[in-house]
Amino acid sequence: MLNFNLQEQLPLLFELQQTDTEILAVQDKLKSVPNKIKRLEESIHVYQQKLEEKQKKLADAEKEQRSKAGALEMQQEQRRKSQARLREVKTNKEYQAVDQEISFLMGKEAEIEDEILEIMLLIDQLKEELNQQQKAFDGEQAKNNEQKAEYEKETDDLKSQIADYQEKRLNFQPKIHPDLINRYQEWFKRQGTGLISLVVDNACGSCHLRVPPQTLQQARKNEQIIRCGSCQRILYVPPSLPDEASSE
């Protein structure tokens, strides 16, 4: 024999279960937010990587330009020294040798100047590409920051919802008989789902097995705990549910 009014207790326990279900659903949403933020960070990392690669190419090109400029300066210095020697030679043979050396050095200078020009054109191109890449990165980062702010707001909203549900839970949980609470918590611990199953269209709302008319009538009376023959949850028939069993 029950030592509590089942007609009063089942609606309270069902409401508790609905509240706990809402809490779990919101907690699941809350757990998904860090993954959303992580995907944002991974997305911006791709843009960051491309930007850094372009910056490195530009830095390498500018370094090569400085190196070529240094090599050109050395060639020019060497040519100036050869030209100075040209004025000091005394024989025709020495003159021809120095003159050939000067011609060779001037040829090397021309080669280096051409290489420097190519590098300068490459640098101009890389600067333009880097500018475009920077704009793409800035645009993506702005979108990501906006989206991240929305996710952070979502986190705050979800936490607020959980707090509201928990407060609601605390308000009516003391009204439920300890025996029912213990059964409910033990079931939830073992099964990970609610103990109460709402009868919908004369069927168990959880496993959807049709409830026999006699069992449905017993569940309506709320004189004893009636369980579903399939899933073993406690059947709960709201008072407003039409008495379809009587017509069968």
Side-chain angles (χ1 to χ4, degrees):
M1 193 74 177
L2 296 175
N3 56 355
F4 50 82
N5 188 332
L6 198 61
Q7 193 167 1
E8 294 178 355
Q9 292 290 293
L10 274 185
L12 289 172
L13 189 61
F14 182 66
E15 188 176 357
L16 173 65
Q17 179 174 292
Q18 286 182 305
T19 303
D20 284 344
T21 300
E22 292 292 345
I23 290 174
L24 288 174
V26 177
Q27 286 176 337
D28 284 342
K29 290 181 182 178
L30 187 60
K31 289 177 184 176
S32 71
V33 175
N35 288 332
K36 294 178 182 178
I37 294 176
K38 183 180 179 182
R39 285 195 292 271
L40 279 180
E41 292 172 347
E42 289 172 350
S43 171
I44 198 65
H45 179 68
V46 172
Y47 280 83
Q48 178 72 38
Q49 234 177 358
K50 290 180 179 178
L51 184 63
E52 289 174 354
E53 287 172 1
K54 196 68 68 176
Q55 288 171 335
K56 185 178 184 305
K57 285 182 180 179
L58 177 59
D60 289 344
E62 289 174 337
K63 182 180 179 181
E64 186 176 4
Q65 182 189 27
R66 291 191 296 272
S67 176
K68 293 292 183 182
L72 178 61
E73 189 176 340
M74 289 177 63
Q75 288 292 119
Q76 291 171 337
E77 178 62 24
Q78 191 172 352
R79 174 177 56 79
R80 285 192 289 269
K81 289 180 179 179
S82 296
Q83 287 173 333
R85 278 180 26 234
L86 190 63
R87 293 190 291 271
E88 298 173 357
V89 296
K90 296 179 179 179
T91 66
N92 188 48
K93 185 177 181 180
E94 288 177 330
Y95 183 90
Q96 289 178 346
V98 175
D99 187 57
Q100 288 179 352
E101 181 181 337
I102 292 172
S103 296
F104 173 78
L105 292 172
M106 290 178 68
K108 291 295 292 182
E109 283 181 34
E111 288 179 13
I112 296 174
E113 286 172 347
D114 288 342
E115 290 171 353
I116 289 176
L117 180 59
E118 288 180 6
I119 294 171
M120 289 173 67
L121 292 174
L122 175 62
I123 287 173
D124 288 341
Q125 179 186 339
L126 288 172
K127 283 182 177 179
E128 178 60 28
E129 291 174 357
L130 180 60
N131 183 51
Q132 295 300 320
Q133 196 71 49
Q134 184 70 55
K135 287 180 180 178
F137 172 77
D138 292 342
E140 189 67 17
Q141 189 173 50
K143 285 195 301 183
N144 278 22
N145 288 341
E146 184 178 342
Q147 186 65 63
K148 189 175 181 180
E150 290 180 11
Y151 287 150
E152 288 171 350
K153 183 180 181 302
E154 181 184 359
T155 297
D156 293 339
D157 291 343
L158 292 173
K159 287 180 178 179
S160 178
Q161 289 180 38
I162 291 173
D164 290 342
Y165 282 126
Q166 288 175 335
E167 184 177 357
K168 179 181 177 182
R169 192 180 194 280
L170 290 173
N171 286 336
F172 63 77
Q173 183 179 348
K175 302 173 186 177
I176 304 174
H177 195 277
D179 180 53
L180 270 180
I181 287 288
N182 290 338
R183 294 189 195 192
Y184 171 80
Q185 291 177 340
E186 182 61 30
W187 175 276
F188 197 90
K189 183 178 179 181
R190 292 198 320 268
Q191 306 294 336
T193 58
L195 173 62
I196 307 298
S197 180
L198 185 69
V199 174
V200 180
D201 295 331
N202 291 340
C204 172
S206 298
C207 69
H208 309 296
L209 182 73
R210 190 162 184 82
V211 180
Q214 184 178 356
T215 303
L216 189 58
Q217 288 292 349
Q218 290 175 333
R220 287 181 186 279
K221 292 178 182 178
N222 287 318
E223 294 176 352
Q224 58 182 322
I225 291 175
I226 304 299
R227 293 181 179 269
C228 172
S230 175
C231 66
Q232 296 302 305
R233 290 177 174 85
I234 297 175
L235 294 174
Y236 171 51
V237 185
S240 59
L241 192 67
D243 190 359
E244 298 176 18
S246 60
S247 63
E248 298 182 5

